[in-house]
Amino acid sequence: MLDERKEVVEIVYHAFVKDINESLKPLDHVEDQIYFIETLRGYIAGIFSYDENLELWEEVKFDRGEFIRSKLLTKYRDKMVPFIRTNLINYFNDDEYSKTLLFQKLKINEPFFDLMDFDHFVTFVLEKTLTTHLDKLLLLPPNTSKESAVIKPEPTEIPEGNQSKIKNPEFNRKRQALMYYFVLKIMGIQTRKDDVSLAALTRFGHALFNWPYSNIDNAPLYKVIKDLPYVKPDKLLLIDLEFVKKQFADIKHAEGINLVQKEIDSINKSLS
């Protein structure tokens, strides 16, 4: 599974490098390329930024469309045709529609690169790529030719949690979310009950796991909590459920083991 995810990361990363170089081509001056990269970094920050001064229920307002229009389209007009044609911002957007368009374009099987992995990929791989390239551009003389400022692919690592390098790849956010779901069930809390606020459960989970987020709508846990435990195709979900069951077995929690086993049995029955 880890190898498959690594392959997907490589596919998206190399496609991103190709598309951003295509988007940069019309910008003849290094200063314009610097501005373009800085704007993309600002766009990512607007989507994924976390303001620790805000209360948990306060939202960070960010108008994505207006940001791109005012910062890039109005300034460069027809020079942004490749940027629009490649749908470059879909590499950064965290909404389902943009992600679906990107995955369809790259012919990616989404379950191998799910919602939570996508957020980390943007903030730890793509943003790092932009920052590295920006640093190189800033060291170039003002009149450097644009051919000298091409982004070149570099080795990538699969992002997970708050680190870009996995020390324990079997532990990931999707499995944490599944464990959270079953712990809630043990506590007698049902995520699909009308009298339970999904926003409150999301804030509780993010506080528990120390997952930063900009607002509830963009919170990784909020995007999947209403669908738990069915957050992957059955065969892939079985692998994660077995992992979760083992965690309950390690602490000898019979109720947790039984709850997970019921889901496993249900899925196996549907597959037979």
Side-chain angles (χ1 to χ4, degrees):
M1 185 64 63
L2 187 60
D3 289 340
E4 291 170 325
R5 290 180 64 241
K6 183 176 181 180
E7 181 180 353
V8 171
V9 168
E10 291 291 339
I11 291 172
V12 179
Y13 173 69
H14 283 272
F16 168 73
V17 170
K18 177 179 178 293
D19 285 345
I20 194 172
N21 280 326
E22 186 70 21
S23 300
L24 284 167
K25 278 183 180 179
L27 302 178
D28 297 320
H29 302 291
V30 170
E31 288 80 1
D32 288 329
Q33 293 201 6
I34 290 173
Y35 176 85
F36 182 81
I37 297 296
E38 286 179 332
T39 300
L40 294 183
R41 292 177 69 241
Y43 186 81
I44 293 173
I47 296 175
F48 296 101
S49 63
Y50 172 68
D51 189 343
E52 62 183 9
N53 295 318
L54 294 178
E55 297 293 342
L56 286 176
W57 58 83
E58 292 184 296
E59 294 187 359
V60 177
K61 300 295 183 181
F62 179 66
D63 190 328
R64 305 178 188 196
E66 179 58 30
F67 184 89
I68 293 298
R69 279 191 295 273
S70 62
K71 298 288 187 179
L72 292 178
L73 302 187
T74 301
K75 182 178 178 67
Y76 292 115
R77 308 294 290 273
D78 61 322
K79 290 186 176 183
M80 288 293 98
V81 170
F83 169 73
I84 297 298
R85 185 178 61 246
T86 59
N87 287 314
L88 192 68
I89 59 173
N90 284 347
Y91 287 95
F92 313 128
N93 287 338
D94 59 346
D95 62 280
E96 281 295 328
Y97 180 68
S98 296
K99 190 156 63 71
T100 298
L101 290 179
L102 176 63
F103 289 176
Q104 287 177 347
K105 170 185 173 180
L106 303 181
K107 297 180 174 59
I108 288 176
N109 187 7
E110 182 178 349
F112 292 140
F113 201 54
D114 59 43
L115 200 61
M116 293 182 179
D117 295 328
F118 187 78
D119 290 354
H120 293 307
F121 176 74
V122 172
T123 54
F124 289 104
V125 177
L126 300 190
E127 202 278 337
K128 179 182 177 182
T129 299
L130 293 175
T131 300
T132 300
H133 187 62
L134 177 62
D135 290 342
K136 293 178 180 178
L137 288 175
L138 291 171
L139 295 176
L140 293 175
N143 295 323
T144 301
S145 65
K146 62 181 180 181
E147 287 76 15
S148 301
V150 173
I151 295 179
K152 298 179 180 179
E154 297 181 0
T156 59
E157 295 174 338
I158 301 176
E160 194 65 64
N162 291 323
Q163 302 178 23
S164 60
K165 185 175 182 180
I166 299 179
K167 294 182 178 179
N168 297 295
E170 69 274 16
F171 294 97
N172 58 54
R173 282 192 169 188
K174 188 59 64 68
R175 289 177 174 180
Q176 282 182 295
L178 284 171
M179 290 184 67
Y180 180 52
Y181 167 79
F182 287 108
V183 169
L184 289 176
K185 290 197 71 171
I186 292 170
M187 294 168 62
I189 298 174
Q190 302 294 326
T191 58
R192 296 184 183 86
K193 293 288 186 180
D194 293 337
D195 58 343
V196 178
S197 167
L198 292 181
L201 292 176
T202 298
R203 289 193 292 269
F204 184 82
H206 276 262
L208 183 65
F209 298 129
N210 190 28
W211 295 354
Y213 65 97
S214 57
N215 58 63
I216 285 294
D217 289 336
N218 286 335
L221 188 56
Y222 186 74
K223 296 173 183 177
V224 299
I225 193 169
K226 64 181 180 298
D227 298 319
L228 287 169
Y230 307 110
V231 290
K232 284 186 178 181
D234 290 345
K235 290 183 179 179
L236 298 176
L237 182 58
L238 282 174
I239 298 173
D240 287 348
L241 287 173
E242 290 289 352
F243 173 85
V244 172
K245 186 177 75 171
K246 182 180 183 302
Q247 309 315 305
F248 283 115
D250 287 346
I251 62 173
K252 297 179 173 58
H253 197 289
E255 185 179 358
I257 296 171
N258 291 334
L259 285 172
V260 180
Q261 187 60 52
K262 285 181 180 178
E263 293 292 348
I264 292 173
D265 292 342
S266 176
I267 292 174
N268 280 326
K269 185 177 180 180
S270 68
L271 291 174
S272 61

